[in-house]
Amino acid sequence: MPSRNLISKLKGYFPVTDQLRADLEELARKRITLEAGEALIRSGEKYKCMFIVDDGWLLRARYLPGGTRQIVNFALPGDFLCYNMMMFERSEFDIVARTTASLWELETKSFRGMMQRHPGLAEALMWSNAHEEALLAERVVSLGRRDATQRLAHVLCEIVARLQLIEKHEGDTLLLPLLQEDFADILGLSVIHIVRVFNRLEQMGVVRYKSRRVQIIDAEKLKRVAGFHGDYLYFSTRNDVRP
């Protein structure tokens, strides 16, 4: 079902009607699969259509002269990808599958028509876009003002909150597809620095990292170290939505 993760993301904040579900089912008829390392689109390539992530993790990154990489963000199930094609012709980033990933392809012409027929879907897309913008703004704050320990603690808190939002996490252990190199390229640090910060967090009794497995030992202390509040991750509740 193309809408399941998107609905999990919106649930409690947005009136998900049977008509909206039906419209999404009608539009998202083609499901594609990417293997880990396979690109959905490369920087400079023309957009062809939009997507909803059904399963897996994807990285949105910019490769710089000399081969360095900045990971701008990562996409999780329920996220829209390539929605910028509504305004722009070409992608400014590489979008690459970090794991095997499944996506529902949304044909643009039909999507424009559906947004006209169903304004609620346009609002859902607008909220998702605002969600993405909030994530990027918070990353700028981390890169500009947080120290290395705060940066790593903050992104771990963010991952937990985003997975909980789509009901993909419970318990105290995160099974992450992210390598230490990925954390380094997300946070603008060296791999050696990432190793040291994970060790520091473990010494503080906050988290324990081993082979892509992150055990959250003290979630509240992790939030305090990060200065994490998480309000930017959650949608504002519409007045016409009832709990």
Side-chain angles (χ1 to χ4, degrees), residues 223-240:
K223 291 179 182 179
R224 290 196 299 272
V225 171
F228 182 83
H229 301 290
D231 293 346
Y232 69 99
L233 288 170
Y234 298 97
F235 295 107
S236 298
T237 304
R238 274 177 40 163
N239 292 332
D240 57 344

Side-chain angles (χ1 to χ4, degrees), residues 64-112:
L64 304 175
T68 56
R69 175 185 67 162
Q70 177 66 51
I71 296 176
V72 177
N73 205 351
F74 45 87
L76 300 177
D79 289 347
F80 285 99
L81 286 175
C82 299
Y83 51 76
N84 281 354
M85 73 173 299
M86 303 296 286
M87 290 76 71
F88 301 105
E89 183 179 16
R90 297 177 185 273
S91 175
E92 293 186 345
F93 303 95
D94 288 28
I95 300 177
V96 179
R98 189 67 193 83
T99 66
T100 299
S102 299
L103 305 97
W104 291 98
E105 185 177 300
L106 307 177
E107 195 277 316
T108 312
K109 183 178 179 180
S110 297
F111 196 86
R112 288 182 185 274

Side-chain angles (χ1 to χ4, degrees), residues 12-231:
Y13 306 94
F14 187 84
V16 180
T17 64
D18 290 340
Q19 185 60 52
L20 177 55
R21 293 174 189 265
D23 284 347
L24 283 167
E25 298 299 321
E26 177 184 351
L27 184 66
R29 292 181 176 178
K30 183 177 180 181
R31 191 171 185 264
I32 67 168
T33 300
L34 300 176
E35 298 301 322
E38 188 176 354
L40 177 67
I41 192 169
R42 293 290 185 184
S43 176
E45 291 182 351
K46 286 187 176 182
Y47 290 115
K48 295 180 181 178
C49 53
M50 286 193 292
F51 302 87
I52 295 178
V53 182
D54 184 51
D55 192 36
W57 291 52
L58 298 97
L59 303 178
R60 189 166 64 160
R62 171 75 61 81
Y63 288 84
L64 304 175
T68 56
R69 175 185 67 162
Q70 177 66 51
I71 296 176
V72 177
N73 205 351
F74 45 87
L76 300 177
D79 289 347
F80 285 99
L81 286 175
C82 299
Y83 51 76
N84 281 354
M85 73 173 299
M86 303 296 286
M87 290 76 71
F88 301 105
E89 183 179 16
R90 297 177 185 273
S91 175
E92 293 186 345
F93 303 95
D94 288 28
I95 300 177
V96 179
R98 189 67 193 83
T99 66
T100 299
S102 299
L103 305 97
W104 291 98
E105 185 177 300
L106 307 177
E107 195 277 316
T108 312
K109 183 178 179 180
S110 297
F111 196 86
R112 288 182 185 274
M114 185 161 65
M115 286 195 294
Q116 292 174 352
R117 296 193 311 272
H118 199 103
L121 182 60
E123 189 174 358
L125 180 60
M126 180 185 71
W127 282 6
S128 292
N129 188 35
H131 190 254
E132 175 76 11
E133 183 178 342
L135 289 169
L136 294 177
E138 200 64 31
R139 192 75 70 245
V140 170
V141 174
S142 281
L143 294 174
R145 291 299 177 186
R146 294 187 176 110
D147 64 29
T149 303
Q150 291 169 330
R151 289 184 204 181
L152 183 55
H154 198 277
V155 80
L156 291 174
C157 288
E158 181 180 283
I159 290 170
V160 169
R162 289 183 65 187
L163 290 174
Q164 288 175 337
L165 195 61
I166 55 173
E167 301 174 354
K168 297 290 185 182
H169 171 72
E170 58 182 357
D172 63 358
T173 301
L174 289 168
L175 301 176
L176 299 180
L178 301 176
L179 301 172
Q180 292 173 338
E181 290 86 349
D182 296 324
F183 280 109
D185 290 345
I186 290 170
L187 301 176
L189 301 168
S190 68
V191 174
I192 292 175
H193 209 157
I194 289 294
V195 173
R196 289 173 179 167
V197 176
F198 265 121
N199 289 338
R200 188 177 305 138
L201 289 173
E202 182 171 351
Q203 291 168 4
M204 294 169 65
V206 178
V207 302
R208 183 176 294 114
Y209 175 86
K210 186 177 181 180
S211 301
R212 307 189 197 184
R213 183 187 296 268
V214 179
Q215 181 184 3
I216 309 296
I217 300 171
D218 189 332
E220 292 306 313
K221 187 174 181 179
L222 181 64
K223 291 179 182 179
R224 290 196 299 272
V225 171
F228 182 83
H229 301 290
D231 293 346

